[in-house]
Amino acid sequence: MSNLEQFKIDLKSLPCGTSVIAFDLDDAYFEALDAPVVRNGRLHCTLTIHSAEDFFDMDFHTEGSVVVPCDLCLDDMDQTILTDNHLVAKFGEDFSEDDDLVTVDENEGILDVAWYIYEFIELNIPLRHVHAPGKCNPAMMKILDEHSAARSGDGDSEGPVDSRWEALLKLKD
């Protein structure tokens, strides 16, 4: 089980200037987060923090790959991740989040970046993820082709046209 304590950054103890923190993310990280979309992966995240008195400019650079299901054959596939993200934190009275600005309770001074890193990864996954051509599970693709052919009517397009559409078809001519 991954120790998520390493993702809790004590902003009060950071020296003014630049600090760099590196995280290695693996299956245990995703399991500890109980991540909804990504369950497996191997990534490296470098967090660069530029700090002033109570203002923290954070740059996240994450690269590696995660395992997601293929949209066509449903087999697992590796999805490459390469993302750069930015987040700004400042001290305030209560914790709040507004777009790219996070207000951290001044008394506590701790920012947990574990979920932010996960969200950056998930947002970098394309909406459609499929294997490269020819790499999908052949058995599943055969079943998919059979069901697609059955749904399309197997060339039954020469059948009679519904009378409601007949007038519209005349407009095409």
Side-chain angles (χ1 to χ4, degrees), residues 6-7 20-27 29-30 40-48 59-66 79-85 117-118 120-121 124:
Q6 67 178 329
F7 296 97
V20 178
I21 304 169
F23 304 105
D24 287 316
L25 313 173
D26 57 9
D27 298 348
Y29 163 77
F30 295 107
N40 305 81
R42 282 215 181 286
L43 300 112
H44 181 76
C45 179
T46 304
L47 169 58
T48 306
D59 293 310
F60 297 82
H61 175 77
T62 308
E63 59 184 291
S65 67
V66 295
Q79 177 65 54
T80 302
I81 301 292
L82 177 59
T83 181
D84 290 303
N85 302 93
I117 294 171
Y118 174 76
F120 296 148
I121 293 167
N124 196 255

Side-chain angles (χ1 to χ4, degrees), residues 37 67-77 129-131:
V37 175
V67 178
V68 293
C70 175
D71 288 341
L72 289 178
C73 71
L74 303 178
D75 279 359
D76 286 343
M77 63 173 275
H129 28 84
V130 295
H131 284 106

Side-chain angles (χ1 to χ4, degrees), residues 106-133:
E106 192 168 1
N107 296 326
E108 187 178 317
I110 297 195
L111 178 65
D112 187 353
V113 296
W115 192 254
Y116 292 110
I117 294 171
Y118 174 76
E119 286 178 341
F120 296 148
I121 293 167
E122 189 175 322
L123 288 171
N124 196 255
I125 298 172
L127 289 176
R128 180 172 159 83
H129 28 84
V130 295
H131 284 106

